[in-house]
Amino acid sequence: MSKITTGIRSKRFKVKAEAQLKLKIETEMGEKLDLEVKNGSLTGIGAWLPGMGEQIDGAKPGSLIPESKLCWDANEVSFGRLIFRNKYPSLEGVILGFSCVDTKVPLLGSLSQLFEDVANTESAMDYELSAKKFNLLSFLESDHTHRD
């Protein structure tokens, strides 16, 4: 993994245990899934799916999820498209990784109360790429040079 990829993924905020944050997606095949969000960053979401993840077995890393939204309490935020990045086995399920295409994860505002440590920072943007750590040459190392 390149230095830039590691830097982008280095700060993920865990969802608080008592929070009921769901990621609702619709796969390319039209299948609708409700996933429990476990962590997030400004550019992606990690969500848990019970079982062995057979509902998303047809999806390959890099495939497009055309419809998605975050839901909690009586609120929802539409994300539009997501890119399916990876699948990791966990206790009694799998963790699925997604990257945002159309928007960033709105860690600021009312959603910040659901993530650990976000409310205690001045801004979640502090965890974006820093010019002190990365420059234009860092992006040349990346395998993924486009968003779609």
Side-chain angles (χ1 to χ4, degrees):
M1 189 178 291
S2 70
K3 184 170 68 170
I4 188 73
T5 306
T6 304
I8 289 172
R9 297 180 182 176
S10 65
K11 184 58 181 177
R12 300 193 71 81
F13 297 98
K14 290 184 179 181
V15 174
K16 292 179 180 177
E18 67 275 6
Q20 296 294 315
L21 185 58
K22 300 286 183 188
L23 176 66
K24 296 186 178 201
I25 63 171
E26 184 174 333
T27 65
E28 289 179 310
M29 304 303 287
E31 196 170 359
K32 295 181 181 182
L33 300 172
D34 286 356
L35 312 171
E36 182 182 336
V37 177
K38 292 294 186 182
N39 62 56
S41 68
L42 289 173
T43 58
I45 293 280
W48 181 77
L49 180 64
M52 297 306 295
E54 55 275 347
Q55 303 94 320
I56 199 159
D57 273 345
K60 304 251 186 288
S63 61
L64 185 71
I65 304 295
E67 296 289 329
S68 64
K69 63 182 174 180
L70 272 181
C71 300
W72 73 101
D73 299 331
N75 303 302
E76 68 178 46
V77 174
S78 177
F79 276 153
R81 300 174 297 164
L82 294 176
I83 299 292
F84 174 62
R85 290 293 180 198
N86 46 38
K87 179 169 122 175
Y88 298 106
S90 73
L91 296 174
E92 301 175 9
V94 292
I95 298 286
L96 305 173
F98 299 96
S99 294
C100 299
V101 174
D102 299 319
T103 62
K104 291 189 177 197
V105 178
L107 290 176
L108 303 175
S110 61
L111 196 57
S112 68
Q113 303 304 313
L114 303 177
F115 288 93
E116 295 176 0
D117 299 328
V118 174
N120 300 330
T121 61
E122 288 183 29
S123 169
M125 300 299 178
D126 294 342
Y127 297 101
E128 275 291 291
L129 292 177
S130 168
K132 295 175 185 173
K133 294 181 182 177
F134 301 100
N135 59 37
L136 188 58
L137 290 176
S138 302
F139 288 91
L140 296 176
E141 301 171 1
S142 178
D143 295 336
H144 308 289
T145 56
H146 55 81
R147 294 185 76 165
D148 285 338

